[in-house]
Amino acid sequence: SEYNLLGKIGGDSGLSDAGLEYARRLGKFAEEEISGKLSEDEDGNKVKSSRPCRLWTSTMRRTKETAQFIKHDSFPFKFDNKEEV
């Protein structure tokens, strides 16, 4: 995070340039390895199918920035404390 580069602990900082690059690569990995399943059909052709999954993050800025590159559908959800996402 930006604070890590400054030697700070805690807080709600954004991602550093390296953190953003990691997030981009994580998004690609999630699409290829987690939400999609690669298999072969009866003719030996590779077929990609989607696999349902959920992504939950904390409300910290850096976690939202990390998750921004992960393709996903959103759905309304209301917590017990009435906070909505």
Side-chain angles (χ1 to χ4, degrees), residues 3-85:
Y3 282 3
N4 287 348
L5 293 175
L6 299 173
K8 293 183 178 181
I9 298 175
D12 193 16
S13 71
L15 293 177
S16 64
D17 290 340
L20 283 170
E21 179 59 26
Y22 174 87
R24 282 186 196 90
R25 291 179 186 199
L26 179 63
K28 184 177 181 191
F29 175 83
E31 181 179 6
E32 294 174 354
E33 303 293 333
I34 297 172
S35 66
K37 181 180 180 183
L38 193 59
S39 58
E40 289 187 7
D41 63 13
E42 55 274 353
D43 297 325
N45 299 315
K46 294 190 181 204
V47 178
K48 185 175 180 181
S49 58
S50 63
R51 180 177 14 200
C53 54
R54 293 279 184 245
L55 171 67
W56 296 88
T57 70
S58 76
T59 58
M60 300 296 286
R61 181 178 161 199
R62 64 185 171 267
T63 60
K64 291 178 185 179
E65 289 179 2
T66 299
Q68 71 182 315
F69 299 104
I70 299 175
K71 294 179 183 176
H72 63 284
D73 295 327
S74 60
F75 62 96
F77 184 83
K78 189 179 285 188
F79 291 97
D80 292 342
N81 68 358
K82 308 299 185 226
E83 183 180 342
E84 292 185 28
V85 291

